[in-house]
Amino acid sequence: MLVLFETAAGYAIFKVLDESKLQQVDDLHKEFETPEKANKIVKLKHFEKFQDTTEALAAATALTEGKIGKSLKKVLKKVVAKEAHEQLAISDVKLGGVIKEKLDLSCVHSPAVAELMRCIRSQMESLITGLPPREIAAMSLGLAHSLSRYKLKFSPDKVDTMIVQAISLLDDLDKELNNYIMRCREWYGWHFPELGKVITDNLAYCKAVRKIGDRTNVATSDLSDILPEEIEAEVKLAAEISMGTEVSEQDIGNIRHLCDQVIDISEYRTQLYDYLKNRMTAIAPNLTVMVGELVGARLISHAGSLLNLAKHPASTVQILGAEKALFRALKTRKDTPKYGLIYHASLVGQTTAKNKGKISRMLAAKAALAIRYDALGEDTNSEMGVENRAKLEARLRQLEEKGIRRISGTGKAMAKADKYQHKSEVKMYDPSGDSTIPSTSKKRKFEEVEEEEDDDAGEEPETPVVVKSKKAKKEPVAEEEEEAAEETPKKKKKKKKDKKAEAEEEEPKEEEAEVAVTESTEKKKKKKKKKVEEDE
């Protein structure tokens, strides 16, 4: 059996002298306790030394990827191919499969082989002759540094660190710019306060201040390359009637230096934004198409890397950046947030308030697919992102147009909106609505009644109708109530008398009826007696 042993200095091929020792895996380390014992088990057959660190790095990267490097292929063809009948013990199963496929050599890997490799490594200095320990240590250190640098340089996880740093710096620059511009406006405002109201753009304001200096120089300064003609004329007019205080040349010099800082930072910010845009287009083209460069970069920065972001589900991507609101909502048992950083995407921004939740959910679902395609896919085109964005825009139009569909009819036909024409209607103020008093007063009614009475009197003499006031009405009402109160007891007395008379009338009637009944019974008895006597 042959053993392929990889070192930082080169490839070594060992010949196993006593294969029976490999059967006892647990006791194999005892056979390698001393160099003499180790030389009885294995013997160095061939050693292929690397020429430099570059060759060692190429060989190491090929081994980590499970490929056969040039130097390894050369060794295997030179040494192992001569003894093709013997098995080749290797430490990596994947590498063994590649060797068997390309060179048609039988490879073996087992726990016994792994233990043998460990034992050979422990006695490597004595087994590999002609290689000083100091040189092996130097080669190992150099290869470790080179391999780490190579992995860091070409790792797909680390490429997006530039995006994370760039977006963080962009946010910091925005904060600093705001602070500088506010300070510049406030500082120069003591000298020329009217300029801040005339020039609203911050960059144009700083350029104008740097060029003008003292406000007395406005009349002689040419601001046509910074401001339009109308605003330039306003500035010159405002300078003549300015209410600002006088400042020294040293103060103006400091203000101008601050304006230089603002202009330089603004130019650097523009340059940094272009760099970020290019990096996002190269690393995550589909995500850039879906949500834009800034939102995509902020999502990557928030997750830590593009690969970490690809592991998040769509629901997490949707509320990424709103963690504080989410946990507060869960704690208070209220509605959870519908969107986080994704709210700043152009698709969500152009929708109405009621559809923002739906669009953010759909955009997060498509963006999650785009992120996984960018992070794990082999293609670098943005076709999928463009296709999904077109679908989202179509869905957005459908949601926006749903509100103006006809309810009656087919329901699919669009409601025809009439052409808008502005009609100005001049309405006069009606003061009658201010008062709660009825339109026709009572006095007028009384007057009308009197007029009617006069007319009637002219035609026929009749009893005059007296119109009484409110107080006059109340008095007869009170009198009537008293009369009614007097009448009621009288009526009760009359009713009692009537009842008594009826009762008295009924009593003789009952007596007469009883008398009549007794008379009839007596007559019947007399008739019976007569009949009895006749019979006798």
Side-chain angles (χ1 to χ4, degrees):
M1 181 187 282
L2 298 176
V3 179
L4 175 64
F5 186 75
E6 307 105 358
T7 67
Y11 291 110
I13 303 292
F14 289 97
K15 173 80 174 176
V16 180
L17 301 175
D18 190 2
E19 293 184 16
S20 61
K21 299 287 185 180
L22 297 177
Q23 304 297 328
Q24 302 170 356
V25 179
D26 296 335
D27 299 331
L28 189 61
H29 66 279
K30 294 178 182 178
E31 302 296 332
F32 284 83
E33 287 177 349
T34 59
E36 292 78 14
K37 285 184 177 181
N39 283 319
K40 291 178 182 179
I41 304 297
V42 291
K43 181 184 177 182
L44 182 65
K45 190 173 180 66
H46 180 76
F47 183 74
E48 185 73 22
K49 189 179 178 182
F50 297 132
Q51 298 296 324
D52 53 8
T53 312
T54 308
E55 188 182 351
L57 178 62
T61 51
L63 283 173
T64 53
E65 292 171 4
K67 297 177 182 178
I68 303 176
K70 289 182 180 179
S71 54
L72 179 59
K73 201 171 187 179
K74 185 180 176 182
V75 170
L76 291 174
K77 281 184 177 179
K78 187 191 290 185
V79 181
V80 182
K82 292 178 181 177
E83 299 179 15
H85 61 282
E86 291 196 15
Q87 288 184 329
L88 180 66
I90 54 164
S91 58
D92 188 13
V93 181
K94 192 176 180 182
L95 180 65
V98 176
I99 291 171
K100 189 173 184 180
E101 183 182 344
K102 291 193 174 181
L103 300 173
D104 198 20
L105 296 171
S106 60
C107 300
V108 61
H109 175 77
S110 64
V113 172
E115 183 67 23
L116 180 62
M117 293 284 183
R118 282 193 288 271
C119 294
I120 291 172
R121 189 172 289 108
S122 65
Q123 296 292 336
M124 185 172 62
E125 295 173 5
S126 60
L127 290 172
I128 301 174
T129 54
L131 196 65
R134 192 172 179 181
E135 190 177 347
I136 292 175
M139 290 287 285
S140 299
L141 185 63
L143 180 61
H145 285 176
S146 300
L147 191 61
S148 299
R149 214 174 290 117
Y150 173 82
K151 282 190 173 181
L152 192 66
K153 185 178 179 182
F154 291 103
S155 172
D157 300 337
K158 296 297 176 184
V159 176
D160 49 20
T161 51
M162 301 302 162
I163 291 174
V164 175
Q165 297 299 327
I167 192 66
S168 301
L169 179 58
L170 199 68
D171 292 339
D172 293 340
L173 284 177
D174 286 336
K175 289 176 185 175
E176 291 301 320
L177 266 176
N178 284 334
N179 290 333
Y180 279 19
I181 289 162
M182 284 170 64
R183 181 63 55 208
C184 183
R185 280 179 176 273
E186 187 178 350
W187 197 352
Y188 194 70
W190 286 102
H191 177 59
F192 191 2
E194 292 81 8
L195 186 67
K197 295 178 181 177
V198 176
I199 304 174
T200 54
D201 184 44
N202 294 323
L203 190 59
Y205 180 86
C206 292
K207 286 180 179 178
V209 169
R210 186 177 64 172
K211 196 162 188 178
I212 293 167
D214 199 314
R215 70 166 182 264
T216 55
N217 303 329
V218 173
T220 58
S221 300
D222 182 24
L223 302 173
S224 58
D225 56 336
I226 301 169
L227 304 172
E229 292 181 4
E230 302 84 10
I231 296 177
E232 186 181 359
E234 284 183 39
V235 170
K236 289 182 178 180
L237 183 64
E240 293 175 2
I241 57 169
S242 178
M243 299 292 289
T245 59
E246 296 296 328
V247 293
S248 64
E249 285 295 326
Q250 190 177 2
D251 297 331
I252 293 292
N254 280 314
I255 294 171
R256 276 179 165 170
H257 184 65
L258 179 59
C259 291
D260 290 335
Q261 294 290 323
V262 171
I263 293 164
D264 292 341
I265 292 173
S266 299
E267 289 174 357
Y268 176 60
R269 189 200 176 281
T270 307
Q271 179 188 345
L272 184 66
Y273 177 73
D274 292 337
Y275 163 76
L276 179 65
K277 192 174 180 180
N278 294 333
R279 294 299 299 163
M280 281 296 295
T281 307
I283 292 168
N286 294 288
L287 179 63
T288 306
V289 170
M290 293 298 296
V291 296
E293 301 88 14
L294 290 176
V295 178
R298 285 196 175 93
L299 287 171
I300 292 170
S301 174
H302 200 83
S305 69
L306 185 64
L307 197 63
N308 287 348
L309 186 62
K311 293 174 184 176
H312 289 317
S315 56
T316 306
V317 173
Q318 183 181 347
I319 60 167
L320 209 63
E323 289 85 0
K324 192 175 179 181
L326 173 68
F327 292 121
R328 186 173 63 244
L330 292 173
K331 191 176 180 181
T332 56
R333 295 185 180 180
K334 293 183 179 178
D335 293 337
T336 52
K338 293 180 181 178
Y339 26 67
L341 290 169
I342 209 168
Y343 178 80
H344 300 287
S346 58
L347 276 172
V348 179
Q350 68 190 26
T351 59
T352 55
K354 66 174 184 179
N355 291 328
K356 281 188 191 296
K358 290 181 181 178
I359 288 296
S360 63
R361 186 173 65 248
M362 290 186 284
L363 180 61
K366 296 296 182 184
L369 292 176
I371 292 161
R372 288 165 195 168
Y373 190 81
D374 290 331
L376 309 170
E378 295 178 0
D379 298 334
T380 56
N381 55 11
S382 59
E383 291 178 4
M384 192 194 80
V386 172
E387 185 182 344
N388 285 337
R389 188 180 174 89
K391 287 180 182 176
L392 282 175
E393 287 173 350
R395 176 63 178 155
L396 175 60
R397 283 195 299 273
Q398 185 183 356
L399 287 172
E400 294 293 332
E401 292 168 359
K402 188 182 287 185
I404 58 170
R405 286 186 184 278
R406 289 191 304 183
I407 297 170
S408 62
T410 57
K412 294 180 182 178
M414 298 300 296
K416 292 180 181 179
D418 295 332
K419 189 177 179 181
Y420 175 74
Q421 290 181 350
H422 181 66
K423 297 175 183 178
S424 61
E425 296 178 0
V426 180
K427 293 185 178 181
M428 299 298 290
Y429 180 70
D430 186 12
S432 62
D434 294 341
S435 176
T436 56
I437 300 170
S439 56
T440 56
S441 62
K442 290 185 178 180
K443 288 182 178 179
R444 288 183 181 179
K445 282 186 178 180
F446 298 150
E447 288 172 4
E448 288 172 7
V449 171
E450 287 174 0
E451 287 175 3
E452 287 176 4
E453 287 172 2
D454 294 338
D455 295 337
D456 295 338
E459 293 173 4
E460 294 178 2
E462 289 182 359
T463 56
V465 179
V466 181
V467 179
K468 297 178 183 178
S469 62
K470 290 181 181 177
K471 289 181 181 177
K473 280 184 178 178
K474 286 180 181 177
E475 289 173 1
V477 169
E479 289 174 2
E480 288 174 3
E481 287 177 357
E482 289 176 2
E483 289 174 2
E486 289 175 0
E487 288 174 0
T488 47
K490 288 180 182 179
K491 287 180 180 178
K492 286 180 181 177
K493 288 177 181 179
K494 284 181 180 179
K495 284 180 181 178
K496 285 181 181 178
K497 288 178 181 178
D498 294 339
K499 285 180 180 178
K500 285 180 180 179
E502 289 175 0
E504 288 174 358
E505 288 175 1
E506 287 175 358
E507 283 175 0
K509 285 181 180 178
E510 288 174 358
E511 288 174 0
E512 288 175 2
E514 287 175 0
V515 171
V517 170
T518 49
E519 286 178 355
S520 60
T521 49
E522 285 176 0
K523 285 180 180 178
K524 286 179 180 178
K525 284 179 180 178
K526 286 179 180 179
K527 285 180 180 180
K528 283 182 179 179
K529 283 180 180 179
K530 283 180 180 181
K531 282 182 180 180
V532 172
E533 288 174 356
E534 287 175 359
D535 293 335
E536 289 176 355

